């Protein structure tokens, strides 16, 4: 266990020194394993990890879902979603902010990427909100926070990776994310309503509704059809979650072509962005696999389990401690790195916790419930200073907004996320009801 803690300390030092997280984890994991065994065994372990990760059939779903999201981003689907949501909320005070949350939820539901959602909706939603006099903090906060919905509402890349790490059923993880995702959208809408009620100057009374073109209408209906197609196919047993990636990508391309929203330049951009994102994710996954092999060999997970038994800690206290660790780590790490770094350590501990009977009486259900809790905490980290990846992505698209303005704008949504986190922890039904 001591070797593991030293390794984690060195890893944190490398991260603070701005070494890319994937390479830092691979370096520490490989060197630590070599010290515990020998350099030949470490070389064999690293080679096997790289080969098996690169050849993994299950991981092939990642570039497919990423490509699907990029196609939707390049084809103008987001504009249609925003126009459709504005039709519903546009006449209310803060209506464009409400429409932004709804369209972020819809776009992220089919793109599976929080960062892609934040970047796309920054271009779509911020200009009209500025045009009608919305305060920059509310406008940017709604976009940055709304983008976080992408890592929970299925199909979710983070849930897929969690399923691979814990060998949980990815279809069950997707289904478990539906109600918590809908709850997140609802609480974000409440956050906007409360904000403009407390300070009406941050949003105008009414705004002109964004007109919907025929392409927008087709885009809204097509996006809804895509979501139903993916989830219905998985839940109905027509195809597996892995096959759903390919089917969804094909559906997205056909939809984009049908609404004449995707030309060759957009298609090439979608491919390029997919390759870059996939390479980054695989580098982090390989590094995390090497590092988790080291800490498992050093005995950290089992040492934590033994410590919990010795101290006779309540399962809820253990979960609370893990949540606190995630909230602190979220100030420094981005979401994918945090998941890959912690889940291999935490899930063996969670498997051993005894919650008694009820909804958490089944160990498999406990892992599903814990996945949703972890993803929601990760969502919070995406808008938590000083890192707040969604905030930096949004500011890279709209550079004239100050970081503090965005962080001030996300505060109501951050509070709403804490409320949702408390609900999901103490009422597991929200995560397990549809299973």
């Amino acid at each position: 266990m001591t070797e593991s803690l030293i390794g984690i300390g060195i890893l944190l030092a490398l991260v603070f020194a701005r070494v890319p997280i994937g390479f830092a984890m691979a370096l520490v994991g490989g060197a630590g394993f070599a010290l515990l065994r020998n350099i030949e065994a470490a070389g064999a372990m690293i080679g096997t990890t790289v080969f098996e990760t690169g050849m993994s059939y299950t991981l092939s779903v990642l570039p497919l879902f990423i490509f699907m999201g990029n196609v939707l981003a390049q084809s103008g689907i987001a504009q249609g979603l925003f126009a459709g949501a504005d039709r519903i909320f546009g006449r209310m005070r803060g209506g464009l902010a409400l429409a932004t949350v709804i369209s972020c939820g819809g776009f992220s539901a089919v793109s599976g990427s929080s960062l892609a959602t934040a970047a796309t909706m920054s271009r779509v939603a911020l200009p009209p909100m500025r045009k009608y006099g919305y305060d920059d903090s509310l406008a940017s906060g709604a976009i940055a926070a709304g983008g976080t919905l992408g890592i929970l509402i299925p199909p979710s890349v983070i849930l897929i990776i969690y399923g691979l790490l814990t060998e949980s059923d990815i279809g069950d993880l997707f289904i478990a994310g539906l109600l918590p995702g809908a709850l997140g959208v609802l609480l974000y809408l409440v956050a906007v309503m409360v904000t403009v009620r407390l300070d009406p100057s941050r949003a105008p009374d009414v705004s002109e509704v964004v007109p919907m073109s025929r392409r927008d209408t087709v885009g809204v209906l097509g996006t809804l059809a895509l979501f139903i197609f993916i989830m219905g196919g998985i839940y109905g047993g027509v195809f597996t979650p892995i096959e759903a990636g390919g089917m969804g990508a094909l559906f997205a391309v056909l939809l984009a072509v049908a609404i004449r929203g995707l030309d060759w330049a957009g298609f090439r951009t979608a491919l390029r962005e997919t390759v870059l994102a996939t390479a980054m994710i695989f580098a982090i996954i390989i590094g995390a696999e090497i590092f988790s092999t080291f800490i498992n060999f050093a005995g950290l997970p089992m040492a934590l389990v033994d410590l919990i038994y010795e101290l006779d800690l309540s399962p809820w206290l253990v979960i609370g401690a893990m949540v606190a660790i995630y909230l602190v780590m979220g100030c420094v790490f981005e979401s994918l790195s945090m998941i890959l770094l912690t889940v291999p350590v935490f899930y063996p501990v969670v498997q051993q916790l005894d919650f008694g009977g009820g909804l958490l009486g089944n160990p498999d259900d406990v892992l599903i419930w814990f996945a949703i809790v972890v993803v929601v905490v990760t969502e919070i980290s995406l808008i938590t200073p000083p890192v707040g990846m969604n905030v930096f992505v949004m500011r890279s698209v709209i550079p004239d907004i100050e970081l503090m303005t965005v962080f001030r704008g996300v505060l109501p949504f951050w509070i709403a996320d804490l409320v949702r986190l408390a609900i999901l922890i103490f009422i597991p039904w929200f995560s397990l009801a549809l299973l």
Side-chain angles (χ1 to χ4, degrees), residues 339-371:
I339 293 288
L340 289 167
L341 182 61
T342 58
V343 168
V345 178
F346 285 166
Y347 94 86
V349 177
V350 173
Q351 280 183 311
Q352 302 298 320
L353 297 179
D354 183 9
F355 291 91
L359 285 173
L360 295 179
N362 186 333
D364 291 336
D365 288 342
V366 170
L367 282 181
I368 298 292
W369 165 76
F370 183 67

Side-chain angles (χ1 to χ4, degrees), residues 31-42:
F33 195 87
L35 290 174
L36 292 178
R37 290 285 302 274
N38 54 67
I39 194 168
E40 290 80 11

Side-chain angles (χ1 to χ4, degrees), residues 97-136:
L98 296 171
T100 298
V101 171
I102 292 293
S103 53
C104 281
F107 185 79
S108 62
V110 290
S111 72
S113 169
S114 292
L115 300 183
T117 300
T120 302
M121 296 309 301
S122 295
R123 300 184 182 95
V124 172
L126 191 60
M129 281 194 279
R130 280 182 159 178
K131 175 183 177 182
Y132 291 110
Y134 278 70
D135 180 71
D136 271 356

Side-chain angles (χ1 to χ4, degrees), residues 58-59 66 77 151 170 177 184 188 219 230 232 254 258 280 298 307 311 339 360 382 409 416:
T58 306
L59 285 175
I66 293 170
I77 297 294
I151 66 172
I170 295 175
Y188 277 8
I230 293 174
L254 294 177
M280 177 196 69
L307 180 62
L311 298 177
I339 293 288
L360 295 179
L382 289 171

